[in-house]
Amino acid sequence: MSVAYREYAPPPGLEALVACVWVSHGGETRVLPDACVDVVMDGGRLVVAGPATAAVLAPATPGQARVGVRFRVGAAGAALGLPVGELRDQGVGLEEIWGAHARRVEARALAAPTPEDALLALIGGVAERLPAPEAADHEVRRAALALARPRRGEAEAAAVAGLSARQLRRRFEAAVGYGPATLVRVLRFQRFLRAARTIDAPLARLAAEAGYADQAHLARESRRLAGLPPSALLAAGAGPAGEPPRPR
């Protein structure tokens, strides 16, 4: 069964920490690493989908709706109030992090008559717990934005943020959920998926556009991050996800 997925801009006042909010309808979904952390209403339960380093198959019954709030790259640690590396490659009940508040938000979302109303309930519940924008790690954020550009390395990102490489790695674990080298791999793979949506070109050119050394490099990374070769992934309709890129 096909999956219908729609993203919306972050609600006013949440832009500093939230990349987007979304609704999806349909069956099983292959969720690819995108460097973001989402709070998802899934199957009657609020779950935090931690930063992923490999694809996850999210099962769903036909017609089941999911709604979610996606944090910006590097914002999840401040938003959730914990070192987000603890959530890497995991789906954790929001109740384990936010306790009774999560149960109240879950009840409101479950009582909503439509998925869109459930999303509004989720947004309201998340907004009640978000810290002020100043709580985010802005040095890590600057480094993450630097790494989003092709062929930028850890040393350059550390310089942009005014940190040593050691400080950068430690603070990335808390704010992003993994180190700069992994973020580079995930963002490069998302650039490939975005290029495939916008350029009608063979894989070799798409690999070059994304910043891979060659097509073989892309193929290895696609198997590691997505569990499929790039041609099969594109044939299955995979597209980019995560935080939309900023204009250069």
Side-chain angles (χ1 to χ4, degrees), residues 208-230:
E209 289 283 341
Y212 289 99
D214 52 29
Q215 187 175 336
H217 185 196
L218 165 63
R220 290 194 298 275
E221 284 290 85
S222 184
R223 289 188 176 88
R224 289 168 181 158
L225 293 173
L228 290 173

Side-chain angles (χ1 to χ4, degrees), residues 37 51 53 74 83-89 171-179:
V37 174
T53 59
V84 77
E86 297 177 5
L87 307 176
R88 184 169 53 233
D89 293 320
R171 288 168 64 168
F172 257 60
E173 283 289 327
V176 179
Y178 39 59

Side-chain angles (χ1 to χ4, degrees), residues 66-169:
R66 294 189 181 91
V67 302
V69 172
R70 178 167 302 147
F71 297 116
R72 292 193 183 280
V73 177
L80 294 169
L82 82 173
V84 77
E86 297 177 5
L87 307 176
R88 184 169 53 233
D89 293 320
Q90 296 186 65
V92 177
L94 186 62
E95 182 181 355
E96 296 180 35
I97 302 171
W98 282 354
H101 180 74
R103 291 194 292 275
R104 289 192 291 272
V105 177
E106 197 171 89
R108 286 181 222 153
L110 282 172
T114 69
E116 287 72 22
D117 291 325
L119 178 60
L120 290 175
L122 175 57
I123 292 169
V126 169
E128 290 171 12
R129 284 297 296 258
L130 284 185
E134 293 75 20
D137 191 328
H138 296 287
E139 286 81 12
V140 163
R141 178 70 181 162
R142 282 199 294 275
L145 290 175
L147 292 173
R149 297 185 176 182
R151 298 174 182 82
R152 293 287 183 95
E154 182 176 335
E156 189 171 359
V160 167
L163 300 170
S164 69
R166 183 176 180 180
Q167 288 173 322
L168 188 69
R169 286 193 290 272

Side-chain angles (χ1 to χ4, degrees), residues 19-36:
C20 70
V21 299
W22 53 267
V23 178
S24 75
H25 302 262
E28 183 179 83
T29 304
R30 181 180 294 268
V31 182
L32 303 178
D34 62 7
C36 290

